[in-house]
Amino acid sequence: MNILSTILAFVVALGLLIVFHELGHYLVARLCGVKVLRFSVGFGAPIWHRRLGRDGTEWAIGGFPLGGYVKMLDEREGPVAPSELHRAFNRQNVWRRSAIVAAGPIANFLLAIALYWLLFVHGMPGLRPVVDAPPAGTAAAVASFETGDIITRVGSARVDTWQDVRWQLLKHAIKRETVTVEVEDDRGAHRQRTLDLGAIESKDLDADFLRVIGLSRYQPAIVGMVEAGSVAERAGLRPGDQIVGIDDVNVARWSDFVSVIREKPEVAVMLQVVRGAEDLDVTVTPAPKDENGKTIGRIGVGPIDGPSGLQRYTVRGGMAPLEAVAAAARETVDKSVFTLQMLWEMIFGRVSPKNLSGPLTIADYAGQSAQLGWIYYIQFLAVISISLGVLNLLPVPLLDGGHLMYYFAEILKGSPVSERTLEMGQRVGMIMLFGLMAFAIYNDINRLVGGS
């Protein structure tokens, strides 16, 4: 079922993003009076097609799904009736051709804005960036981060969740900058920590780079779930209970609580519990369980994991519709610029090319995000839509950005580039794109096989 759901989530994501991209080309072409012969999602021989509309435009689904295209009337691709010459793409002025080509990536950016708008209006639940004690010698330890610090600002940017913190710090990390981080300590006072990211290496800029600099989530001993029929349920523990002590010894973290319980199979212990405004004593006797030849104790509870639990550790904000439009546009621009920046750093070797992902990794992320819930899937779609828009604007022949590069040259020189130049560009572009795709798939296979 996981494989099926991953495939379904990937197909839906790919189909939606391709359709929006090609609709951008199609709608602006029609607006400019250009005749559209075919609208295809996927390449190769169509597995489904139908002709619709006054122009008899063929709507098709190709057998190879990684892409799509809009085929327009064009003298370079076949004979055009004299009565329809004015509707041929190649007969349009350079500004109209540029608008038609640019419309695809722009449609992806507009889709991302719409998706972020939906998320911002609804509110995105997340975990507050409450910091655990950093390991000695890490950048966070040098900056004097303490257990319970809530990160509220990174540089000039406000942050509400761990996802925000990672995003903002990543932008500073790729430049190896020193950044000021504002925190609220456990007494409510606001303080500043100076975090030096100069020692970050390109291999550290992956999903766990926060741990490299010493920042990890403080996980208090708050019960997130209680198993039916377990020791904990019979003892009366409930979700939301905070364990503050065991046998009158203070407990600060979930990991501390688990360690004690594991070491006391079939030994009665007294838990000091805070439930709302109440202080309770709850006696539990951990049930024995065999684990790799060792008997451990278990009471059948799990921690808060995700947007549940006490207000200090979780957040879910919502915006007014008009406010969300501006925020969604800023988020899209911000992530677009960062994507370009990452590509630039990758070209110059300051970011590892292993960060380049192909269709297998994207499919994996699609499946994971869909299983987490629709909010996470929408976030995934927005990020991929931005990536698709940025990728297509790169000045590489065969991509939209390559065509725009030719049109820019045409504007400068006053005439179209030669057929020879176009032919050479297509060959170079094909080699570049196939090489890029092969390397991305190689990275995907390495991740799947090696777990890196």
Side-chain angles (χ1 to χ4, degrees):
M1 288 301 295
N2 281 345
I3 293 176
L4 289 177
S5 63
T6 294
I7 292 172
L8 179 62
F10 180 58
V11 169
V12 169
L14 201 62
L16 180 66
L17 299 180
I18 291 171
V19 166
F20 260 82
H21 181 92
E22 300 306 334
L23 269 178
H25 292 311
Y26 172 82
L27 293 174
V28 176
R30 292 295 303 270
L31 203 61
C32 292
V34 175
K35 183 176 181 178
V36 178
L37 303 178
R38 176 184 288 172
F39 183 109
S40 178
V41 177
F43 298 107
I47 57 176
W48 176 91
H49 66 102
R50 181 171 294 177
R51 293 190 180 276
L52 298 172
R54 187 178 60 185
D55 289 334
T57 301
E58 182 185 14
W59 297 78
I61 298 176
F64 186 67
L66 296 179
Y69 64 93
V70 170
K71 183 178 180 180
M72 290 167 270
L73 191 68
D74 195 312
E75 289 175 283
R76 296 167 299 181
E77 297 183 8
V80 176
S83 61
E84 291 197 313
L85 284 175
H86 67 288
R87 302 190 67 192
F89 177 79
N90 65 294
R91 290 290 182 114
Q92 309 305 310
N93 65 47
V94 68
W95 300 106
R96 286 191 173 191
R97 280 179 279 136
S98 298
I100 293 169
V101 168
I106 289 172
N108 285 122
F109 295 132
L110 291 177
L111 174 61
I113 290 172
L115 293 173
Y116 279 127
W117 177 86
L118 176 64
L119 292 173
F120 290 152
V121 169
H122 177 271
M124 292 189 289
L127 289 169
R128 287 186 185 276
V130 185
V131 176
D132 203 351
T138 60
V142 173
S144 301
F145 280 89
E146 298 175 356
T147 302
D149 280 350
I150 301 177
I151 300 175
T152 58
R153 192 171 291 274
V154 175
S156 60
R158 173 186 163 181
V159 291
D160 297 312
T161 65
W162 272 113
Q163 186 176 9
D164 296 340
V165 170
R166 185 184 183 280
W167 170 245
Q168 294 300 329
L169 284 179
L170 189 58
K171 292 194 290 185
H172 293 280
I174 65 170
K175 299 177 184 177
R176 278 65 173 179
E177 294 178 333
T178 296
V179 60
T180 299
V181 178
E182 184 178 294
V183 303
E184 178 185 323
D185 65 22
D186 55 7
R187 294 173 294 280
H190 285 263
R191 305 184 183 280
Q192 290 191 334
R193 317 289 192 206
T194 303
L195 192 60
D196 183 2
L197 302 174
I200 288 287
E201 299 178 16
S202 61
K203 64 181 177 63
D204 297 328
L205 297 174
D206 59 13
D208 295 322
F209 102 95
L210 288 180
R211 289 193 177 276
V212 174
I213 62 179
L215 289 178
S216 60
R217 175 163 62 98
Y218 171 60
Q219 192 171 38
I222 298 174
V223 176
M225 68 77 138
V226 179
E227 291 180 4
S230 65
V231 170
E233 185 184 56
R234 292 194 297 271
L237 285 176
R238 302 176 188 171
D241 286 350
Q242 182 167 13
I243 314 299
V244 295
I246 301 177
D247 291 334
D248 294 319
V249 176
N250 290 339
V251 170
R253 300 175 181 82
W254 182 263
S255 57
D256 299 336
F257 165 63
V258 170
S259 294
V260 174
I261 295 298
R262 285 171 63 90
E263 294 299 320
K264 294 185 178 293
E266 299 184 291
V267 176
V269 295
M270 180 74 74
L271 305 181
Q272 283 73 56
V273 177
V274 174
R275 178 181 297 162
E278 282 186 279
D279 292 330
L280 307 171
D281 287 331
V282 177
T283 300
V284 295
T285 302
K289 181 186 178 185
D290 182 70
E291 185 180 86
N292 299 323
K294 179 184 177 182
T295 302
I296 64 167
R298 189 174 182 276
I299 64 171
V301 293
I304 57 168
D305 187 15
S308 60
L310 297 184
Q311 182 60 32
R312 176 174 169 81
Y313 304 103
T314 61
V315 63
R316 173 179 170 172
M319 294 182 181
L322 285 178
E323 181 188 8
V325 172
R330 282 195 303 270
E331 189 76 10
T332 301
V333 170
D334 198 22
K335 282 190 167 57
S336 300
V337 171
F338 181 75
T339 302
L340 281 171
Q341 194 174 13
M342 284 289 284
L343 288 170
W344 185 260
E345 296 289 323
M346 203 176 292
I347 289 170
F348 286 94
R350 293 189 287 266
V351 170
S352 172
K354 290 182 179 179
N355 289 287
L356 192 66
S357 297
L360 300 180
T361 297
I362 294 171
D364 184 38
Y365 288 161
Q368 289 183 38
S369 61
Q371 288 172 25
L372 287 171
W374 71 269
I375 289 178
Y376 300 95
Y377 189 61
I378 294 294
Q379 284 181 283
F380 163 79
L381 288 177
V383 170
I384 298 300
S385 191
I386 290 170
S387 299
L388 184 60
V390 170
L391 176 66
N392 271 281
L393 284 177
L394 295 179
V396 176
L398 295 185
L399 295 179
D400 294 331
H403 293 293
L404 292 173
M405 178 178 64
Y406 292 142
Y407 299 152
F408 181 68
E410 180 179 340
I411 292 168
L412 291 180
K413 67 192 287 282
S415 61
V417 297
S418 67
E419 290 294 328
R420 174 67 176 163
T421 301
L422 290 174
E423 185 181 333
M424 290 293 293
Q426 283 186 328
R427 291 178 183 175
V428 171
M430 192 171 295
I431 292 170
M432 292 176 67
L433 289 178
F434 275 108
L436 192 66
M437 178 64 76
F439 186 74
I441 292 174
Y442 170 78
N443 280 346
D444 287 351
I445 293 171
N446 266 355
R447 289 188 189 102
L448 292 173
V449 175
S452 59

